[in-house]
Amino acid sequence: MDGNYSPVTEETIKDLAALIGEANVSIKEHELAGFAIDEMPLARSYPPRVIVRPPDSGAVSRVLAYASAKRIPVTPRGAGTGLSGGAIPIHGGILLSLEKMRRIIQIDERNFVAVVEPGVTLNELHQAAEACGLYYPLYPGEMTATIGGNVMTNAGGMNAVKYGVTRQYVLGVEAVIPGGEIIHSGGAYVKNTTGYDLTQLLIGSEGTLAVVTRITLKLTVKLAKREVLFVPFLDLQNAIDAVPDILRLKQTPVGIEVMDQDIVKIVEKFTEKELPYHQYQAFLMIIMEGDTEEEIYDYFARVETICRQHGAVEATVPGSERAKRRLFDAREKFYLAVKRFAPMEMIDTVVPRSEIARFAVQVKELSRKWGVPVFFYGHAGDGNVHLHPVQVDMSRAEFDGKLHPLMADIYRAAVALGGTISGEHGIGIDKKPFFGIGVEEPAIDIMRGIKRAFDPGNILNPGKIFDL
Amino acid sequence: MDGNYSPVTEETIKDLAALIGEANVSIKEHELAGFAIDEMPLARSYPPRVIVRPPDSGAVSRVLAYASAKRIPVTPRGAGTGLSGGAIPIHGGILLSLEKMRRIIQIDERNFVAVVEPGVTLNELHQAAEACGLYYPLYPGEMTATIGGNVMTNAGGMNAVKYGVTRQYVLGVEAVIPGGEIIHSGGAYVKNTTGYDLTQLLIGSEGTLAVVTRITLKLTVKLAKREVLFVPFLDLQNAIDAVPDILRLKQTPVGIEVMDQDIVKIVEKFTEKELPYHQYQAFLMIIMEGDTEEEIYDYFARVETICRQHGAVEATVPGSERAKRRLFDAREKFYLAVKRFAPMEMIDTVVPRSEIARFAVQVKELSRKWGVPVFFYGHAGDGNVHLHPVQVDMSRAEFDGKLHPLMADIYRAAVALGGTISGEHGIGIDKKPFFGIGVEEPAIDIMRGIKRAFDPGNILNPGKIFDL
């Protein structure tokens, strides 16, 4: 069912222009080229045939109804910052960009809720919430990403230990299903047992079931202070071993990040800024929020004791806002720095947080087995590990040949430890060959049935996650 | 598709006994009668033809595969404490009781996770977690309910303002789909974007999609102190009006309950114990947890100021554990007390918390319009209102005639305010006639497609939530 789509013809372009206005339809070469990839590493380029930029849900509805009737594939897209190729139009067809739907409809201070369109960026949402004294506490790293994209990948990020992931903040959606009908699910309330929860089903569905056109998000109150403790270790394993002990403390940190010296060196080169204690082998960053600095420092004192028991050399809180900002900036630039350093793949597997040390050992063994260096960093506090196999001292052909079996081995190791394939980036096209390692065939079959319930013609983001 | 099932014959009984053991199959009259209703008010009695009590997921699998092949309806059931008839076997057939699957498989202190079978009661889970210094923070009231039932209704309860609902605590499940296949979804981790989230889809699905046989639950750490502030008001509206202001304080209470004098009188009669300040018209109970009593009392002082601005007469913290217990006991017995008082219906509609005062006014008007008294209480802090239309000074026939249009009016009012039909009890059979008020036809159609993806023969809990 994946093939056999109708082509986009001159008539299609005219029809689309009639449906949503000529100004919202483009076939300009350079624009098509710009939508041919997302941030997925090693991605091939698949330009769409036409770009539509619907200004509202009515226009989304008309495009989808038309595409369903004509059987033309539609790939929805936010900011294109996804890492698994979820927004790449691999079947050409229509690229549906949500960039014009970026209104913040309401920051509701009585219900602690934001109502936004999908094209709103994380940056914009954060600012709008904070202007009202409220807080959207998720921090998936890429602040130019859109909320729509975050919903579709169930984005997580650095603050998940305390605040969870996007799934926990989406209270309701308006969405257009492939037939063009507009549906509503949930709203400005937490309790709901009124039929199957379509809101939750759409979250993490990578644009394959519906186009979300309005999102109701839960907001919270921001604590006054946020600090980070930076802890160098002589050895990556020691750093990781400290994490479960830190998490046994009563207070919950916002996040715990882990990184090794290799990645620190690469990011220093990329940013041309030195990080403190960069002579050591591994590092933890423990992020904490509280009402007062004293409260946070009390917590950090206990964390430091635990870290030193695990061989930490030092434990330091950046002395200035600038030094703090530099640390976070460095952490956010890991991905770009590795990407610049060498051709690489991106893995974001997740294991129960207690298994992260064991997983690190296994990854190191698999890296040796296949002779492919693997950078290791990530969200140690929630078990979400980012791994980068990199092409070093070998040809691209050799790298490509080793990459697939190495990745399969890594995913099998994660699943055997009770984990799964993707923590926050999604499956897209990049992880699709490995999907069956994490999800059993009867469950995939159920997912196929769900996909058919929404999209009998398989026109919405076809070819992603699994094959029909 | 709802009818046309195969009957349960002597051969069926023999087959089931061969599949899961004779000791796990019963056709004893008094047992069948015991499974003919749940706690739904005004329910007709529908005894099943046979009861199976599978001891493990393999046995569940064999029963479902057999029932699918033979096309015999199967109604799964936990403790039968549901309030919407979700566990009533309206098509007879097989009643699948999960009472023998009640092992607490693991309390995992490293990952703050519990792994349990569905027949474990909330009481048992709370105790097992607390024995390890951990906490399952939900309190849906009926502690003899099973976790399986809680998952299937997305149970909420009194602690939802701070802690949310069951949905936020279920990290993964093992489940048997109607064809008999055992599937796994999620695990001991929070981040997950690996295909459609079947865990979340099963939560709140009222036993219509699969039988959950193992549940991984997130646990948290219990704060040292828990106190309640009891605040009498001269008027229900004043009490409700205070709630949004209380919620604007920075600290989040565990819950805020509201009740009026009518319900207090009835529960006093039922428990034969007086409540303080029972001469007043309405009451708020504000429940707060904290590390210290001082912290909680500081918060209560601020809450009291707000309440007095809204006309509160008093504000009192019970002076002893016994007095505190008496308050909570009374609150938990509202349902039983009303049930004893008169024939009644049970509504658990939800509105955005800011709209609860407006909703209360509209309910009062509708009560007058139809001449049916409606008791009003519930979880004011999360907008989940429990309403009991009661049969007073009228015949059952007159009550029945007024009940349906009154309820439809109430649901329409809730939906118009941005709310929905059921916050935590589910639709079952009781709210099914009103389902279309809360969910649009295209969304119901999607739900039908999802149901077919799981259960093409419509054998699992047929006739619940919506018609196929």
Side-chain angles (χ1 to χ4, degrees), chain A residues 55-311:
Chain A
D56 54 37
S57 51
V60 173
S61 161
R62 292 191 293 279
V63 169
L64 290 187
Y66 175 81
S68 274
K70 298 280 182 181
R71 211 142 187 274
I72 300 171
V74 178
T75 305
R77 183 178 177 113
T81 58
L83 292 159
S84 301
I88 299 179
I90 56 172
H91 289 279
I94 300 169
L95 190 293
L96 191 157
S97 169
L98 292 149
E99 67 202 90
K100 287 191 180 172
M101 293 180 65
R102 60 188 302 161
R103 284 186 304 158
I104 293 173
I105 293 158
Q106 191 188 16
I107 303 288
D108 174 349
E109 297 173 55
R110 293 168 313 159
N111 293 302
F112 286 17
V113 150
V115 182
V116 302
E117 288 187 330
V120 169
T121 66
L122 265 174
N123 253 332
E124 291 162 350
L125 174 64
H126 272 245
Q127 284 167 20
E130 296 196 19
C132 298
L134 293 171
Y135 186 35
Y136 183 70
L138 299 191
Y139 194 73
E142 181 50 69
M143 298 299 282
T144 65
T146 63
I147 302 302
N150 272 224
V151 169
M152 282 299 151
T153 55
N154 187 24
M158 274 199 256
N159 296 358
V161 177
K162 177 164 184 183
Y163 292 112
V165 297
T166 303
R167 182 174 299 292
Q168 276 99 47
Y169 292 84
V170 183
L171 299 176
V173 294
E174 172 190 85
V176 184
I177 56 178
E181 293 92 345
I182 299 174
I183 64 173
H184 298 84
S185 170
Y189 44 83
V190 171
K191 285 180 170 173
N192 188 10
T193 309
T194 307
Y196 307 150
D197 196 321
L198 301 183
T199 306
Q200 289 294 324
L201 181 57
L202 291 179
I203 298 166
S205 65
E206 304 191 41
T208 62
L209 298 179
V211 176
V212 167
T213 47
R214 193 172 282 206
I215 304 156
T216 301
L217 293 162
K218 185 170 77 173
L219 301 176
T220 179
V221 175
K222 192 171 187 169
L223 295 177
K225 300 289 175 184
R226 179 189 178 90
E227 297 293 341
V228 57
L229 183 71
F230 189 70
V231 189
F233 289 79
L234 293 173
D235 182 84
L236 179 64
Q237 202 63 46
N238 288 347
I240 291 174
D241 285 340
V243 174
D245 286 348
I246 297 171
L247 290 170
R248 240 170 261 145
L249 291 174
K250 202 168 170 185
Q251 298 93 332
T252 305
V254 171
I256 304 181
E257 297 292 302
V258 66
M259 56 209 78
D260 68 4
Q261 195 186 41
D262 295 340
I263 191 94
V264 165
K265 276 186 189 159
I266 282 166
V267 83
E268 284 185 327
K269 202 175 150 197
F270 180 76
T271 58
E272 297 180 345
K273 283 176 191 149
E274 282 196 355
L275 284 178
Y277 303 107
H278 60 171
Q279 68 274 29
Y280 294 109
Q281 283 297 315
F283 309 86
L284 289 183
M285 269 173 70
I286 297 98
I287 307 154
M288 189 66 182
E289 290 176 356
D291 277 324
T292 62
E293 275 176 10
E294 294 69 47
E295 190 187 320
I296 298 176
Y297 288 151
D298 280 356
Y299 172 72
F300 281 167
R302 285 191 286 273
V303 172
E304 179 175 347
T305 305
I306 291 169
C307 288
R308 287 189 185 272
Q309 285 161 1
H310 285 278

Side-chain angles (χ1 to χ4, degrees), chain A residues 110-111 153-154 157 167 184 189 191-194 196-197 208-209 353-354 379 382 418 422-424 440, chain B residues 110-111 153-154 157 167 184 189 191-194 196-197 208-209 353-354 379 382 384 418 422-424 440:
Chain A
R110 293 168 313 159
N111 293 302
T153 55
N154 187 24
R167 182 174 299 292
H184 298 84
Y189 44 83
K191 285 180 170 173
N192 188 10
T193 309
T194 307
Y196 307 150
D197 196 321
T208 62
L209 298 179
R353 64 193 196 194
S354 64
H379 314 299
D382 57 42
S422 172
E424 54 188 8
E440 306 140 311
Chain B
R110 292 169 314 158
N111 293 304
T153 54
N154 188 26
R167 182 174 300 292
H184 298 83
Y189 44 83
K191 284 181 171 172
N192 188 11
T193 309
T194 307
Y196 307 150
D197 197 320
T208 63
L209 298 179
R353 63 193 196 195
S354 63
H379 314 300
D382 56 42
N384 184 205
S422 171
E424 55 187 9
E440 306 140 312

